[in-house]
Amino acid sequence: MAASPLQLAKIAYAERRRRDQEIAGSEIFGEPAWDLLLFLFIAMQEGRIVALSTLLDAIAVPPTTAIRWLKVLETKDFVEPTRQNTDHQSSVTLSEHGNLTILQFFSERR
């Protein structure tokens, strides 16, 4: 049975984190935008809302770099900021365009 887009995204994300841990100097391989999109796609597929602080902790770049890339992804309509009503904490989600783009990317690899 072929892996689902969610399973493929989880594998890709896990491999990127493994590479970060196992290869000295792995920061030269960084693709913060892709890491952000992978993490947000996985969260969306699992029905989770991602707090901005959680997202910043989940990828292997300084927070300023992640914020800069989030702004780029927002201008390209891949992500959108949201605000959770209960605690007023900022959160981020994939836009419909972002979700469909990543879904299609991983669907074509099945």
Side-chain angles (χ1 to χ4, degrees):
M1 175 184 264
S4 71
L6 174 59
Q7 291 168 322
L8 292 172
K10 284 182 172 184
I11 291 167
Y13 182 79
E15 283 299 306
R16 293 178 65 71
R17 300 294 66 86
R18 186 174 74 81
R19 181 191 66 192
D20 290 343
Q21 293 175 349
E22 294 182 13
I23 298 177
S26 65
E27 66 276 358
I28 65 171
F29 303 124
E31 293 179 82
W34 184 235
D35 288 341
L36 290 162
L37 291 172
L38 283 173
F39 191 83
L40 290 171
F41 177 77
I42 293 166
M44 179 175 265
Q45 295 299 305
E46 294 177 341
R48 294 184 291 120
I49 296 172
V50 178
L52 180 58
S53 58
T54 301
L55 181 59
L56 296 179
D57 289 341
I59 63 169
V61 296
T64 53
T65 301
I67 296 292
R68 187 171 57 251
W69 278 105
L70 281 170
K71 289 178 183 176
V72 170
L73 291 170
E74 186 178 354
T75 64
K76 305 274 187 198
D77 191 32
F78 281 98
V79 302
E80 49 194 35
T82 59
R83 188 165 295 285
Q84 296 176 5
N85 293 334
T86 55
D87 59 7
H88 303 291
Q89 185 175 14
S90 295
S91 57
V92 180
T93 188
L94 286 181
S95 66
E96 184 176 338
H97 167 72
N99 184 54
L100 290 174
T101 300
I102 303 304
L103 185 61
Q104 181 179 7
F105 176 81
F106 283 112
S107 292
E108 293 173 355
R109 273 127 190 92
R110 292 169 60 179

